[in-house]
Amino acid sequence: MIVKTPPLGWNTWNTFGPDINEALILEATDAMVESGLKDAGYEYIVIDDIWSLKERDEKGRLVPDPEKFPHGMKYIADYIHSKGLKFGMYSCAGYLTCAGFPGSYDYEWIDAATFAEWEVDLLKYDFCFHPTTEKADVLYKRMALALANCGRDILFSACSWGAEHTKQWIKETGAHMWRSTGDIVDSWASIKDLSQSQLMAQEYNGHGCFNDMDMLVVGMNGKGNVALTGCTFEEYRLHFSLWALLNSPLMIGCDIRNMTEETKKILTNKEVIAINQDPLGAQPFFANRYQFEINENRGGTAPFYKEYPVDIPVVAKYLEGGDVALDFFNFSDEMKYFQHMTMTPDAIGLPITSGKILELTDLWTGEVIKAFNGTVNVNYLPAHDCRLFRARVIDA
Ligand code: GLA
């Protein structure tokens, strides 16, 4: 099974944590269809941790908690499939899941067979309580091989948070996505932290195995399992733009049964989703990187190559057909900081000698601007906001 574009879906964890049950999953499935999310491309309904009993049955099989899931998991799968959607579940490479329920260690083949029998389409595979005597790559290979032999195509979503040099071995396992970050929470600080940690980590990202920056907090508005302060509309919009641009799977984490119009506007923006789902799956890169290198050479204060990069990156990604996605970010923490940002098309491979310029369409406002005099200017970009463009090359 080759996964050509980042998976899109919804996951229970961010909002519901332990409070999951059959009714919720069926309602979320309906909401996925009725809210327009399915039409926008979202496909997976994923049950995260805390779905099973604490004990396996006499055959060593995982048992769904009968109070939460009275009809079992095949029933849920049938319902989800009847709506044209796909079903995801969760387990862990250790003895226990992160919340202390049975993990798959030494039960990998039984569990893979069970998930196949339940007609699961995606398995998120966590990394808590794993034996220290086994290497991380082997733990993931165990489940990978079991899934590859289970008789069903099951998307393998590895969740070892980048630990133990995950990026160096994850593709050996055939995983289709891998968590490249720690856990997100619903706050600006978390979005900024995860975003900046990923800007320089793109070389392992792309077709077949995508960097998973964790589930989205868009629309949580400070409510739910990983809620903290909540975020503004602009902050959620930046969050969604960046995850989309960096080829991250887009797994919604809010309560999709009750979304505000603002939340829907972000999550169903088809032009932004098209950037994420672009068939080229190209590696994103800094389009204003040279500005900071020059600064540093001159003893400037922008430490581009340090642990975390600058507050005003411009990130680009080539798209199929010759367009380029361009996103200007203002991560400044001082809310009063508006940024005037520029980049030269030269940085994305378009020199003045080409006789071409860029025409940019803002994917959030629809505004179209042309890059005159060889530079792209974005003025008055407020702190915590971004401008995401699809740039087209046209005659000057
Ligand atoms: C870990 C994962 C989270 C979530 C929880 C469930 O922290 O990173 O995404 O699955 O476990 O316990």
Side-chain angles (χ1 to χ4, degrees):
M1 176 185 184
I2 299 174
V3 174
K4 294 189 178 139
T5 52
L8 307 181
W10 173 79
N11 175 303
T12 53
W13 184 254
N14 278 4
T15 292
F16 298 98
D19 299 324
I20 53 175
N21 56 49
E22 182 179 291
L24 169 70
I25 305 303
L26 302 194
E27 285 166 23
T29 304
D30 291 343
M32 188 80 123
V33 177
E34 285 155 18
S35 63
L37 289 171
K38 181 183 175 211
D39 283 344
Y42 296 90
E43 197 177 16
Y44 291 92
I45 298 280
V46 184
I47 298 178
D48 208 286
D49 205 353
I50 319 188
W51 58 267
S52 75
L53 289 180
K54 290 245 167 160
E55 303 295 335
R56 290 172 177 269
D57 70 12
E58 67 286 355
K59 291 186 177 147
R61 290 159 54 108
L62 291 164
V63 184
D65 182 334
E67 285 195 4
K68 291 180 171 176
F69 299 100
H71 298 95
M73 289 305 178
K74 174 69 168 56
Y75 176 84
I76 303 259
D78 287 347
Y79 191 81
I80 291 173
H81 292 151
S82 77
K83 302 286 173 179
L85 297 170
K86 292 185 173 166
F87 179 33
M89 287 201 66
Y90 166 100
S91 189
C92 184
Y95 301 107
L96 299 172
T97 70
C98 295
F101 289 76
S104 291
Y105 180 67
D106 266 351
Y107 289 90
E108 291 90 352
W109 286 69
I110 297 179
D111 291 353
T114 306
F115 292 131
E117 193 186 310
W118 291 344
E119 296 190 6
V120 167
D121 304 297
L122 175 153
L123 180 67
K124 174 174 170 180
Y125 205 51
D126 222 327
F127 196 47
C128 288
F129 300 108
H130 55 88
T132 47
T133 46
E134 299 276 9
K135 289 170 74 181
D137 66 302
V138 174
L139 290 171
Y140 278 85
K141 282 171 182 143
R142 281 171 161 231
M143 183 51 95
L145 196 60
L147 288 176
N149 284 278
C150 76
R152 186 174 172 82
D153 270 347
I154 298 185
L155 190 150
F156 192 26
S157 165
C159 182
S160 58
W161 328 295
E164 304 200 26
H165 310 290
T166 310
K167 61 190 177 190
Q168 291 174 6
W169 49 261
I170 195 61
K171 285 193 183 173
E172 296 169 5
T173 70
H176 304 102
M177 52 194 267
W178 66 286
R179 263 285 289 287
S180 49
T181 65
D183 285 11
I184 197 166
V185 294
D186 183 23
S187 74
W188 166 251
S190 176
I191 288 172
K192 177 176 175 175
D193 185 39
L194 298 191
S195 298
Q196 295 196 321
S197 77
Q198 296 299 292
L199 289 173
M200 296 300 290
Q202 293 305 306
E203 61 268 46
Y204 298 92
N205 192 0
H207 278 312
C209 188
F210 296 96
N211 287 21
D212 171 11
M213 294 173 65
D214 204 358
M215 283 94 66
L216 300 167
V217 293
V218 175
M220 289 185 62
N221 297 316
K223 291 194 212 83
N225 185 44
V226 304
L228 213 60
T229 52
C231 299
T232 65
F233 174 73
E234 288 74 19
E235 290 165 349
Y236 284 140
R237 187 170 63 178
L238 177 150
H239 165 39
F240 192 71
S241 301
L242 189 88
W243 265 235
L245 183 65
L246 297 192
N247 300 328
S248 176
L250 301 175
M251 291 289 171
I252 299 170
C254 69
D255 182 354
I256 56 175
R257 301 168 307 171
N258 299 300
M259 289 183 288
T260 64
E261 285 310 309
E262 283 197 337
T263 299
K264 269 194 218 167
K265 200 171 152 192
I266 295 176
L267 294 175
T268 61
N269 184 318
K270 290 190 181 167
E271 282 81 29
V272 178
I273 293 172
I275 299 294
N276 179 259
Q277 297 289 300
D278 188 77
L280 207 56
Q283 179 181 322
F285 61 96
F286 267 99
N288 59 343
R289 134 191 233 147
Y290 74 98
Q291 295 175 351
F292 302 108
E293 286 171 349
I294 289 169
N295 268 349
E296 194 159 59
N297 292 343
R298 287 178 180 165
T301 51
F304 176 79
Y305 271 121
K306 297 290 184 291
E307 178 82 359
Y308 280 168
V310 292
D311 269 353
I312 48 167
V314 181
V315 184
K317 183 172 85 160
Y318 282 11
L319 304 172
E320 191 175 62
D323 288 357
V324 182
L326 270 183
D327 205 335
F328 293 69
F329 295 96
N330 185 354
F331 286 112
S332 315
D333 276 328
E334 294 283 342
M335 292 303 280
K336 63 179 188 290
Y337 284 165
F338 288 83
Q339 290 289 351
H340 300 297
M341 296 172 67
T342 60
M343 56 84 59
T344 60
D346 210 18
I348 60 164
L350 191 69
I352 288 175
T353 50
S354 65
K356 308 283 182 187
I357 59 168
L358 294 175
E359 180 188 78
L360 300 101
T361 305
D362 185 315
L363 300 185
W364 291 110
T365 65
E367 187 192 352
V368 178
I369 54 174
K370 290 202 170 91
F372 292 111
N373 304 326
T375 53
V376 180
N377 295 304
V378 166
N379 293 325
Y380 299 105
L381 182 65
H384 300 194
D385 207 350
C386 75
R387 288 195 76 179
L388 174 57
F389 299 101
R390 178 182 272 265
R392 200 161 64 92
V393 180
I394 59 170
D395 291 333

